[in-house]
């Protein structure tokens, strides 16, 4: 495994919205089977960085590599765009994203939500996808909700459906953007449990979260982003147990709950 390329790697990435430089030269790497947690205050660029990973956002400088394969660009600076739409689709379908707000289709049942992209985007066999979809719904603990509508589910159940939908793409990595932030504490724990199970299975994941305990418990590596730069990074026990930079110390002192020391 040590010889395999990181599933996703970002090198010296710069990203601006007009005059606002949001990412100022960021490196991040998610080796196969590893979980990277990304923390940082609001506006530090976490969502932007995650969206740059799967090319939902353009960037102006730096490289994005999927399993060692660099994204091909055309144009420069603010005009830089990916050059090969098929490469973009391949990368994007292999990096499934889970959002804070679930983003389930309200006019489709849970099962249809989970089946939609594998059938329509990947062109997979409907019956096979349905069997897989039911398997993943079981896995996240809502096998009995396959025929329900999203509005009939709790937030925690909807988020678990969104995770099943991501898994049904059979992606190379999962990208989570604040997957538990919209949930009440008890529903949050249902989702944390599922994410922990995925981590234990050896799934490759990047998880942006405000939940320091989850960041600590599931990650192999934690990245602290501050104003568009990585201020500090390391193994969770070190980053949370012995933060070096004053900014990280301050950030952690304002973030509850604190993780238990390892
Ligand atoms: N589409 C956009 N157009 C212009 N500016 C944007 C856009 N999206 C984000 N920004 C700005 O980029 C900066 C980083 O935003 P981003 O959403 O990446 O932060 P974040 O770390 O995810 O914050 P939060 O914890 O609140 O989700 C912010 O200053 C934000 O206002
Ligand atoms: Mg965000």
């Amino acid at each position: 495994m040590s010889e395999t390329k990181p599933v996703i790697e970002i090198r010296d990435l710069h990203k601006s919205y007009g005059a606002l430089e949001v990412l100022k030269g960021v490196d991040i790497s998610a080796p196969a089977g590893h979980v990277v947690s990304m923390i940082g205050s609001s506006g530090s660029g976490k969502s932007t960085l995650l969206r740059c990973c799967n090319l939902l956002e353009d960037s102006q400088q730096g490289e994005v590599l999927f399993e060692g394969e660099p994204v091909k660009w055309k144009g420069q600076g603010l005009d830089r765009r990916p050059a090969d739409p098929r490469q973009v689709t391949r990368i994007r379908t292999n990096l499934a994203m889970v959002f804070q707000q679930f983003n389930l289709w309200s006019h489709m049942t849970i099962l249809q939500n989970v089946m939609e992209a594998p059938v329509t985007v990947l062109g997979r066999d409907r019956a096979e996808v349905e069997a897989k979809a039911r398997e993943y719904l079981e896995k996240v603990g809502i096998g009995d909700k396959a025929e329900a509508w999203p509005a009939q589910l709790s937030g925690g159940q909807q988020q678990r459906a969104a995770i099943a939908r991501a898994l049904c793409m059979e992606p190379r990595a999962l990208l989570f953007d604040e997957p538990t932030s919209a949930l009440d504490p008890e529903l949050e724990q249902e989702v944390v449990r599922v994410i922990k199970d995925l981590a234990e299975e050896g799934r490759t994941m990047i998880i942006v979260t405000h939940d320091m305990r989850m960041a600590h418990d599931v990650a192999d590596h934690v990245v602290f982003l501050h104003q568009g730069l990585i201020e500090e990074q390391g193994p969770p026990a070190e980053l949370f147990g012995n933060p070096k930079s004053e900014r990280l110390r301050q950030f952690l002192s304002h973030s509850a709950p604190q993780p238990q020391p390892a």
Side-chain angles (χ1 to χ4, degrees):
M1 178 136 82
S2 58
E3 282 306 305
T4 59
K5 308 270 188 208
V7 177
I8 183 78
E9 189 177 359
I10 295 278
R11 293 186 191 152
D12 189 32
L13 203 77
H14 293 250
K15 158 81 186 165
S16 298
Y17 292 107
L20 178 70
E21 194 178 20
V22 175
L23 300 175
K24 302 171 182 168
V26 175
D27 299 85
I28 195 168
S29 168
H34 283 227
V35 180
V36 177
S37 291
M38 205 193 310
I39 60 173
S41 49
S42 184
S44 56
K46 305 179 299 296
S47 295
T48 304
L49 179 53
L50 209 60
R51 292 164 58 82
C52 286
C53 286
N54 71 351
L55 308 171
L56 283 171
E57 293 285 355
D58 292 323
S59 52
Q60 286 79 50
Q61 195 185 316
E63 294 307 323
V64 178
L65 296 96
F66 173 69
E67 296 187 324
E69 169 194 334
V71 169
K72 299 186 200 105
W73 306 107
K74 60 179 179 195
Q76 298 230 320
L78 286 169
D79 294 324
R80 184 170 93 155
R81 302 283 180 275
D84 179 357
R86 277 179 306 182
Q87 184 187 38
V88 172
T89 303
R90 185 156 44 81
I91 293 174
R92 206 172 279 164
T93 53
N94 272 294
L95 300 173
M97 191 130 173
V98 176
F99 301 92
Q100 180 175 339
Q101 293 299 342
F102 330 134
N103 297 357
L104 297 172
W105 301 104
S106 60
H107 64 288
M108 290 183 188
T109 66
I110 294 303
L111 181 67
Q112 287 166 345
N113 264 281
V114 177
M115 291 177 60
E116 175 67 11
V119 170
T120 61
V121 180
L122 302 180
R124 296 216 173 117
D125 177 76
R126 178 169 281 276
E128 278 171 29
V129 170
E130 179 172 340
K132 278 276 170 211
R134 290 188 186 277
E135 222 174 88
Y136 287 123
L137 286 170
E138 282 297 333
K139 184 185 175 76
V140 301
I142 52 168
D144 57 332
K145 301 291 183 191
E147 322 304 335
W149 302 96
Q152 298 172 316
L153 269 58
S154 73
Q157 290 168 336
Q158 289 190 52
Q159 189 59 301
R160 286 184 282 151
I163 293 172
R165 179 177 59 179
L167 290 171
C168 205
M169 290 295 279
E170 312 215 298
R172 303 287 295 136
L174 293 158
L175 310 180
F176 291 88
D177 194 355
E178 308 261 9
T180 59
S181 293
L183 302 173
D184 295 338
E186 73 213 84
L187 301 183
E188 190 176 338
Q189 284 319 303
E190 298 174 350
V191 173
V192 169
R193 185 68 257 155
V194 169
I195 293 173
K196 282 187 178 167
D197 288 346
L198 295 174
E200 277 160 24
E201 267 175 26
R203 299 251 176 198
T204 311
M205 305 194 273
I206 302 180
I207 306 176
V208 170
T209 183
H210 280 135
D211 179 343
M212 294 303 125
R213 182 159 307 184
M214 178 168 71
H216 174 274
D217 291 353
V218 304
D220 299 288
H221 190 78
V222 184
V223 169
F224 171 57
L225 205 63
H226 180 77
Q227 295 180 356
L229 282 169
I230 293 177
E231 173 85 12
E232 192 166 335
Q233 58 182 318
E238 226 165 85
L239 205 99
F240 290 110
N242 184 23
K244 294 186 179 52
S245 80
E246 186 49 39
R247 281 180 184 136
L248 176 56
R249 273 199 289 270
Q250 260 178 24
F251 174 77
L252 291 177
S253 74
H254 297 136
S255 306
Q258 287 297 302
Q260 305 300 313

